[in-house]
Amino acid sequence: MNTEYLDRDQLAAWVRLVAILELLPGVLDTQLRRDAQLTHFDYYVLAMLSEAPGRVLRMTALAQQTGATLARLSHVVQRLETRGLVERFPCPEDKRATNARLTDAGRQKVQDSAPGHVATVRHYVIDALTPEQITHLTSIGDAILNRLDPDGNRVAFYRRYDTP
């Protein structure tokens, strides 16, 4: 295999992307742990349930939506269930499946946590960019996601806020 190495410009872009991928999760986790006693993934699970019809999703659908394995999601949902933020119950349409429902306390937790989370996202990402750069970031994200998700299995999740 003859690999073409990255040139200086490509390497500069790649190293920056890696740095973002390494630093941003810690920043988001730190804020949410401090202000809401949640990890970023906990918050993401709660947020996805809060947007679902009836605040209910099958665990398999929630795993797909969050990009988690069922094992990881099950562990996180169990922790959230212990805190009274989520409840699991058998799926009425398929008794072999399990649903997760956001409780009223979970909905309140998302509502209370959202302002601090959004402020953190704004501070570290959105407000650091011009409107033109935001547009470019969306295009760059689409180009990379087209390679990472060539079958479009998750396209509905990452394009749900696109303007018509």
Side-chain angles (χ1 to χ4, degrees), residues 2 6 8 13 25-26 30 33 36 40 53 56 58 69-70 83-84 95 131 136 139 144-145 149-151 158:
N2 189 9
L6 304 178
R8 289 187 75 69
T30 296
R33 283 180 191 274
H40 182 252
V56 174
R58 275 192 194 184
T69 64
L70 274 173
R83 295 175 61 187
K95 296 295 182 197
H136 291 312
S139 294
I144 295 170
L145 287 165
D149 183 23
D151 298 328
Y158 53 76

Side-chain angles (χ1 to χ4, degrees), residues 25-133:
V27 167
L28 297 174
D29 265 348
T30 296
Q31 179 273 317
L32 283 164
R33 283 180 191 274
R34 181 189 65 232
D35 298 344
Q37 298 73 51
L38 296 170
T39 67
H40 182 252
F41 188 72
D42 294 342
Y43 177 83
Y44 191 40
V45 168
L46 295 175
M48 293 303 98
L49 286 170
S50 76
E51 294 178 4
R55 301 188 321 235
V56 174
L57 284 171
R58 275 192 194 184
M59 288 289 286
T60 52
L62 185 57
Q64 183 182 20
Q65 203 162 337
T66 59
T69 64
L70 274 173
R72 178 184 184 204
L73 180 65
S74 182
H75 177 72
V76 169
V77 168
Q78 182 178 14
R79 235 182 25 244
L80 296 171
E81 194 172 29
T82 300
R83 295 175 61 187
L85 303 175
V86 173
E87 59 189 9
R88 288 183 284 188
F89 61 95
C91 176
E93 296 85 27
D94 181 355
K95 296 295 182 197
R96 298 169 296 167
T98 300
N99 286 350
R101 175 187 298 124
L102 187 68
T103 64
D104 289 341
R107 185 172 46 85
Q108 190 63 52
K109 181 61 111 172
V110 171
Q111 289 174 342
D112 293 346
S113 305
H117 178 64
V118 171
T120 301
V121 169
R122 279 198 158 284
H123 177 76
Y124 287 100
V125 180
I126 302 302
D127 293 345
L129 304 173
T130 66
E132 183 179 33
Q133 288 171 321

